Amino acid sequence: MSVEHLRELDGLPAFTFPHAGEESGRPLPDAGSVAWRVAIHSWESEETWAEAFDRFLKSVDTSRVRALIVGCWGESYDTSSAVPVERLAAAKDLLPALRAVFVGDMESEESEISWIQQSDVTPVLDAYPELRVLGVRGGSGLAFPAVRHERLRKLYVESGGLPAGVVRGIGASELAALEHLELWLGVPEYGGDAEAADLAPLLSGTRFPALRHLGLCNAEIQDEIAAAVASSPLVARLESLDLSMGVLTDEGAAALLDGQPLTHLSSLDLHHNYLSDPMVRRITDALAPSGVEVDLSSSGYEDEDELDGEVFRYTAVAE
């Protein structure tokens, strides 16, 4: 599965702020009508990301900017997001209307997802108490110590390997307004060392009272996660559940069906899975009559390998 540039953020279409020397002379869009992507070329850029950001701040009415996408900041496999995060936090007084931020919007041509060097992104939350959406791409070097934020509604982290410390930090955070949480947990080879036990605070049902959508995706341990979710009190108040993109087999799916009732959900996303045809029929028969929209598309069997009798199965996104 290829990871692409964002097309929108918080309902606003993405617009790339012109690179240095590439200004067309045409007027820029209304400051509040787009999600501004500030990025530089990954190779031989004429300016640093900080210089591009300064140029952005001088070129638009920053008092009306509602969404900001931090794109490529150079050789991001070698340089972390610390400078973009620091500069964004420092510009808080210039961006009073900012409600959505995404850090690390890069395609594979700029950097593979697991090569993106991240940093502690929580200074963005500290600087913007009215922020509603925070997204991050890349787990290498990512830090997320426990924070308190009263307005954040959506938090999502896309990675080929999410460190256990990040999972625990998010689980220990106080996010009273959080409605949507999505974590791509990944594989150990790319830093995804979280275990199902690390999800216990989140799945206890005592955290995040407003949560209505939970995504625990792209995990090599998808069966263990499904089993943990099956016994979670949190499930009863969810509207949608996403366990897609990982190595989900009949074992995990059976545990899920035998656990907390799922018939109240509006949707259950299990796409990219390793489920047998009988299990697919069992899931459909159990949930479709209740109106649950179940996505069982894109079987992972297409990418399955076997060597010397050992079967190798893969998450949708790794490197």
Side-chain angles (χ1 to χ4, degrees):
M1 172 181 167
S2 61
V3 179
E4 301 178 341
H5 282 148
L6 296 186
R7 297 181 180 179
E8 62 88 26
L9 180 62
D10 199 27
L12 297 174
F15 177 85
T16 301
F17 182 68
H19 295 287
E22 297 179 6
E23 298 87 345
S24 65
R26 290 178 293 182
L28 294 172
D30 178 81
S33 67
V34 299
W36 295 89
R37 179 187 293 111
V38 179
I40 63 174
H41 295 299
S42 56
W43 302 98
E44 299 181 353
S45 175
E46 294 184 14
E47 60 185 350
T48 65
W49 190 92
E51 290 169 338
F53 187 57
D54 285 341
R55 192 163 49 83
F56 165 76
L57 294 176
K58 295 174 182 177
S59 302
V60 304
D61 180 359
T62 58
S63 68
R64 302 187 63 250
V65 171
R66 297 161 52 198
L68 184 65
I69 300 169
V70 177
C72 184
W73 49 79
E75 297 179 357
S76 55
Y77 59 86
D78 192 42
T79 304
S80 80
S81 63
V83 169
V85 168
E86 177 184 341
R87 292 303 305 275
L88 181 55
K92 61 183 180 180
D93 293 336
L94 299 174
L95 295 161
L98 192 64
R99 297 294 181 268
V101 170
F102 188 94
V103 181
D105 182 35
M106 288 173 242
E107 297 181 319
S108 59
E109 289 78 8
E110 296 166 308
S111 178
E112 298 289 355
I113 189 170
S114 294
W115 298 1
I116 299 172
Q117 295 299 309
Q118 282 289 355
S119 62
D120 183 354
V121 295
T122 57
V124 174
L125 292 174
D126 294 335
Y128 296 92
E130 298 297 323
L131 202 70
R132 298 183 305 199
V133 178
L134 176 61
V136 180
R137 179 173 295 163
S140 182
L142 181 64
F144 200 105
V147 296
R148 179 175 181 173
H149 197 283
E150 300 296 332
R151 297 286 185 269
L152 192 70
R153 299 178 186 173
K154 181 176 183 178
L155 173 62
Y156 59 113
V157 184
E158 303 172 352
S159 81
L162 195 60
V166 173
V167 175
R168 291 193 293 265
I170 292 173
S173 294
E174 296 182 40
L175 305 171
L178 193 68
E179 300 173 354
H180 180 116
L181 175 63
E182 180 179 324
L183 305 177
W184 294 13
L185 297 163
V187 301
E189 289 79 2
Y190 292 104
D193 58 351
E195 300 177 355
D198 295 310
L199 298 166
L202 166 63
L203 296 177
S204 70
T206 61
R207 315 296 297 181
F208 314 148
L211 197 67
R212 296 296 178 266
H213 172 86
L214 177 63
L216 300 172
C217 314
N218 197 50
E220 192 170 80
I221 58 167
Q222 204 74 56
D223 280 350
E224 292 91 332
I225 290 171
V229 169
S231 61
S232 168
L234 174 65
V235 172
R237 54 186 174 84
L238 294 178
E239 296 175 358
S240 52
L241 177 63
D242 185 350
L243 301 177
S244 66
M245 300 170 57
V247 184
L248 180 69
T249 71
D250 285 7
E251 180 182 353
L256 191 64
L257 288 177
D258 293 338
Q260 298 288 308
L262 304 174
T263 52
H264 65 288
L265 295 175
S266 61
S267 65
L268 174 63
D269 192 345
L270 301 177
H271 85 268
H272 182 89
N273 60 71
Y274 293 86
L275 303 179
S276 66
D277 289 341
M279 180 55 72
V280 168
R281 288 193 294 271
R282 180 183 169 190
I283 294 171
T284 302
D285 291 345
L287 300 178
S290 299
V292 183
E293 182 179 340
V294 184
D295 188 346
L296 291 160
S297 63
S298 184
S299 170
Y301 285 120
E302 300 168 0
D303 300 318
E304 185 178 82
D305 290 331
E306 183 175 350
L307 179 64
D308 296 331
E310 184 176 1
V311 176
F312 295 90
R313 293 169 175 168
Y314 307 97
T315 60
V317 176
E319 185 178 18

